[in-house]
Amino acid sequence: MSGRRACTRATVNTHVRITHLNCSGGRMLRGGALVGDVRPAERPDSEQLRGHARDDPPRLPTVIRIAAFSGEAPSRPRTIACGVFDGVHRGHQAVISGCDTVVTFDRHPRGMLAEAPPRLATTQLMRERLAALAVREIVLLEFDSNMRQMPPDAFASQILARRLQADSVRVGSNFRFGKDGAGRPRDLGGHGFAVEVQPLVEQGGTPISSSTIRSLVSAGEVERARQMLGCPHEVALISPANPALDAGIRLVEDGHAAPATGRYNCLVATAVGGWVPRQVSFAGGVAEIAGFADGPPLPDHALAVQLLECID
């Protein structure tokens, strides 16, 4: 198989279908394009996932916000991928591929009960990565107390079937929904839409998950994180409030997954478009960009940094 994935599908019953992936070599074959085959010499952001030139990007998905008892989406049948999808990693891509709508939450569900985990992607970065997968709409569900208390059957029948007019719904095998996370993928059946369950995708024998990627980033293992994401982990850096600090000093935006203390080879977004290689040192949420004033100008305030490898 030369390291590629062979995809076959099997019908479990008339309502729920499971897609099986025979995983090997850390790659996925989708429509003739390899997803997750990232090379340091190539531009290693989400552009590689979509195969488009930067001057001809795909259209960003429309964002629709819906609460438990308010908010409506345009009337049309939808092929839906439902999940948290933080980072849109390779496992998420397997769930989302072929769907025109992504249904997710405006905050991490765990944040209602405890501190939310650090984010792997901003909403804007998520939109860019989903555009690469030809997603038309992102439905952000307001995860307030009403949504959290909604029984699984009500979520499937009221949100997915009635308000979003789901024609089909695809979820990961570890998807949980409804009050107390009581709903399982099998509980989506019987609501008038087809259900497809995607098994977990593995990388080197380890299931790919956002939690695993966060742990890798926090340990400085950004190359392994990149293999699971399908592109480098990206962090947003903002200017500190103290103007006396060197221009190359930035802070990791609050709530983002910051890497372990160390020095990293990175790509930094410029103020004029494109990316330049720089070494960036991280320590406790503070980043120092070497050669900040060299080459193309960098943004004065927020800037994006993609982590390629840890040097020391």
Side-chain angles (χ1 to χ4, degrees), residues 68-88:
F69 305 112
S70 64
E72 296 297 332
S75 178
R76 69 173 182 86
R78 290 173 170 81
T79 56
I80 290 174
C82 192
V84 177
F85 301 133
D86 184 22
V88 194

Side-chain angles (χ1 to χ4, degrees), residues 40 44 264-270 274-280 289-292 294-296 298 305-306 308:
Y264 296 81
N265 280 331
C266 301
L267 290 180
V268 179
T270 74
W275 302 71
V276 293
R278 290 287 185 272
Q279 289 186 359
V280 182
I289 304 170
F292 181 86
D294 300 336
L298 301 182
V305 172
Q306 296 180 348
L308 303 182

